[in-house]
Amino acid sequence: MVRKPTSKETARKPNMREAILAAAEELFATNGFNAVSVRDIAQAAGANPGSVTYHFKTKDGLLLEIYRRHCGPMNLRRSELLAAAKRVRDLQDRLEAIVRAYVVPAFTSGSDLAGGGARFTRLRAVMSAEGNEVARKIIAQTFDDTSHAFIDAIHESLPHIPRTDIVWRSHFLLGALYYSLVTPDRVSRLSRGEADGSDAAGAIEQLVQATVAAFQAPALDQAAPARRRAVVSSKT
Amino acid sequence: MVRKPTSKETARKPNMREAILAAAEELFATNGFNAVSVRDIAQAAGANPGSVTYHFKTKDGLLLEIYRRHCGPMNLRRSELLAAAKRVRDLQDRLEAIVRAYVVPAFTSGSDLAGGGARFTRLRAVMSAEGNEVARKIIAQTFDDTSHAFIDAIHESLPHIPRTDIVWRSHFLLGALYYSLVTPDRVSRLSRGEADGSDAAGAIEQLVQATVAAFQAPALDQAAPARRRAVVSSKT
DNA sequence: TGATCTTTTGTACGATAGTACAAATCACAT
DNA sequence: ATGTGATTTGTACTATCGTACAAAAGATCA
């Protein structure tokens, strides 16, 4: 606002760099990394293929920049919400608040960057499924700290549950979260139109409710596995 | 055993067609569809690229055949286990048996085809994330019936829970299941070596335990969402 | 206005993709 | 052993990929 923009920040079209980032994010998130060509991205952004190379050097560089854009704000938001959640007195309410602090930023905008964090979360889900190397490196070193913070917080709310179980359950939470964003239509289809899989608020409520209950499940003791076959094959 | 094999069933190498299918399954499941070339598959199978075209015509045809191979046996197995589970008297035990009937075939072999259903389930997870068209069509028309059968069975065990909630929770189950197969290393990493994400038996027990609790969570009433913000931002 | 720097365009290059196809090779019945 | 059909090989074609780069166009300030 105060300073005047230098030539470095000006561009012919409103903001071609941002348009390319947004187009790439959308296309990667819905089709995967390899299925999308640089030309596809350029066309969707109304740009020339050469512009992509100019701004991001390589296709990997473009993906890297998308991650850089979102990781910081999203983790910041999660940390803030987690800090607030930890101040909740009632243990049951606190657990729910912690889960919500983890889930909400993934569905809504991690920052205000062009329409929200749901698209970025979906992108992460797809990259994770594809085993994308660039994504794998950034994710491990960017999200593991936050994941540990949440696991620790949940563990404090449920001290009688082994940490291992908490890890598994939070892993399931992330999987459920990812899948909800990847194929929301499946929910609409299986519920025969009664539920809308694309409704973020509805998905959040369902996910939080189910996950809190999952975390509160009894600890998994080592004797349990022996029960498995007996229960399944029982005919009475 | 009885009949003697005709020339139609013989081949130079033990079974090149099967080798190609197995190699493709493995590569697709770990790297996605587009990242794997026909040449990659041929090399992994010890075959010539031309052989792939000969046996499966196109790359899509190869994927299609992988699905055809597994879908039938896997759904059959699930149906059998579901039928057995529905005969369990105790409601709590029955719910667990139903969930187990859904989960177990996804982790262990859906048939005895070359090492198990876990690889195929992972493949489905990856194809679903990539939005693969070939897979999407087969999945919807092959698995939806089974999914509905499970949802109905669970609904009968939990009549006080709205069907919509059951659909959401079973969707979360599938997401958790997929994610456990896609990135098992994440569990090992976050648990600091205390848990092994690649251990199918352990994953199944954790998943069943958590999911049963999730299904048993109270129904989501429409008033709940209003509580959301209050809980998160509460400072006391 | 003209010099200078940034951005966009257009095009081209080498690599690799999926697939087609003829020739070679193999298994087996006769 | 020999002919026949199934399979495998080798290779080639076309399309498209990521990327490089020179030229054009636009913006900025003396």
Side-chain angles (χ1 to χ4, degrees):
Chain A
M1 283 296 188
V2 180
R3 66 185 176 79
K4 97 178 141 183
T6 72
S7 59
K8 269 192 183 171
E9 296 167 82
T10 57
R12 276 220 296 162
K13 284 188 181 176
N15 206 340
M16 187 56 88
R17 196 184 137 93
E18 291 302 322
I20 293 171
L21 277 170
E25 201 178 304
E26 176 68 22
L27 288 172
F28 286 157
T30 50
N31 301 104
F33 185 76
N34 295 288
V36 177
S37 72
V38 172
R39 287 168 177 83
D40 291 337
I41 296 165
Q43 186 169 20
N48 188 285
S51 279
V52 179
T53 310
Y54 172 73
H55 285 290
F56 307 101
K57 200 66 191 170
T58 68
K59 196 182 171 189
D60 276 356
L62 175 53
L63 181 63
L64 204 71
E65 183 56 28
I66 292 172
Y67 272 82
R68 256 203 281 271
R69 247 342 140 80
H70 285 289
C71 282
M74 184 157 208
N75 274 322
L76 185 65
R77 180 101 193 285
R78 270 185 170 160
S79 296
E80 289 167 1
L81 291 179
L82 177 60
K86 283 165 99 170
R87 285 192 290 268
V88 174
R89 281 267 207 285
D90 179 76
L91 267 166
Q92 159 89 18
D93 283 351
R94 190 196 299 169
L95 177 61
E96 181 178 328
I98 294 170
V99 170
R100 211 177 281 279
Y102 187 80
V103 169
V104 168
F107 274 90
T108 62
S109 70
S111 64
D112 283 73
L113 290 162
R119 208 171 44 180
F120 176 59
T121 306
R122 178 170 177 170
L123 175 72
R124 281 163 50 210
V126 176
M127 294 303 115
S128 143
E130 282 190 318
N132 185 288
E133 266 305 303
V134 175
R136 209 184 49 75
K137 279 178 197 158
I138 308 181
I139 285 299
Q141 73 186 38
T142 310
F143 281 90
D144 275 14
D145 284 349
T146 312
S147 295
H148 274 123
F150 272 91
I151 289 166
D152 290 343
I154 292 166
H155 194 36
E156 280 168 32
S157 299
L158 299 165
H160 58 290
I161 306 286
R163 207 191 132 89
T164 304
D165 294 17
I166 306 276
V167 170
W168 271 109
R169 291 167 191 180
S170 65
H171 191 67
F172 298 150
L173 163 58
L174 187 53
L177 176 50
Y178 277 172
Y179 195 52
S180 298
L181 287 167
V182 166
T183 58
D185 52 293
R186 185 173 173 274
V187 174
S188 310
R189 209 172 63 234
L190 288 179
S191 73
R192 302 185 178 107
E194 277 181 51
D196 175 15
S198 317
D199 170 39
I204 290 174
E205 291 314 311
Q206 290 284 355
L207 187 53
V208 169
Q209 179 88 350
T211 303
V212 166
F215 276 123
Q216 289 172 329
L220 196 75
D221 60 88
Q222 259 49 359
R227 226 169 134 244
R228 177 162 44 133
R229 284 260 148 238
V231 171
V232 165
S233 61
S234 155
K235 303 228 165 183
T236 40
Chain B
M1 283 292 188
V2 180
R3 64 184 177 79
K4 96 179 140 183
T6 71
S7 60
K8 271 192 181 170
E9 297 167 81
T10 57
R12 278 219 294 161
K13 284 189 181 176
N15 207 340
M16 187 57 88
R17 196 185 136 94
E18 291 302 321
I20 293 170
L21 276 170
E25 200 177 305
E26 176 68 23
L27 288 171
F28 286 157
T30 50
N31 301 104
F33 185 76
N34 293 288
V36 177
S37 72
V38 172
R39 287 167 176 84
D40 290 338
I41 296 165
Q43 186 170 17
N48 187 285
S51 279
V52 179
T53 310
Y54 172 73
H55 285 290
F56 307 100
K57 201 65 191 171
T58 67
K59 196 184 174 190
D60 277 355
L62 175 53
L63 182 63
L64 204 71
E65 183 57 28
I66 292 172
Y67 271 83
R68 256 204 281 271
R69 248 339 143 80
H70 286 290
C71 282
M74 184 155 206
N75 274 321
L76 185 65
R77 182 101 192 285
R78 271 185 170 162
S79 296
E80 289 167 0
L81 291 179
L82 177 60
K86 284 165 98 170
R87 285 192 290 269
V88 174
R89 281 267 207 287
D90 179 77
L91 267 166
Q92 158 90 17
D93 283 351
R94 190 196 299 170
L95 177 61
E96 181 178 329
I98 294 169
V99 171
R100 213 177 280 279
Y102 187 80
V103 169
V104 168
F107 274 90
T108 62
S109 69
S111 64
D112 283 74
L113 290 164
R119 209 172 42 179
F120 176 59
T121 306
R122 178 170 176 170
L123 175 72
R124 281 163 50 212
V126 176
M127 294 303 114
S128 140
E130 283 190 317
N132 186 288
E133 266 306 302
V134 176
R136 209 184 50 74
K137 279 178 198 159
I138 309 181
I139 285 300
Q141 74 186 37
T142 309
F143 281 90
D144 275 13
D145 285 347
T146 311
S147 295
H148 274 123
F150 272 90
I151 288 166
D152 290 342
I154 292 165
H155 194 35
E156 278 168 32
S157 298
L158 298 164
H160 58 291
I161 306 286
R163 208 191 131 89
T164 304
D165 293 18
I166 308 277
V167 170
W168 270 110
R169 291 166 191 181
S170 64
H171 191 68
F172 298 151
L173 163 58
L174 186 53
L177 176 51
Y178 277 172
Y179 195 52
S180 298
L181 287 167
V182 167
T183 57
D185 53 292
R186 184 174 173 274
V187 173
S188 309
R189 208 171 65 234
L190 288 179
S191 74
R192 302 188 179 105
E194 277 182 51
D196 176 15
S198 318
D199 171 39
I204 289 174
E205 290 314 310
Q206 291 283 356
L207 186 53
V208 169
Q209 179 88 348
T211 302
V212 166
F215 274 122
Q216 288 172 328
L220 198 75
D221 60 88
Q222 258 49 359
R227 227 170 133 245
R228 176 162 45 133
R229 284 260 147 239
V231 171
V232 165
S233 62
S234 155
K235 304 227 166 183
T236 39

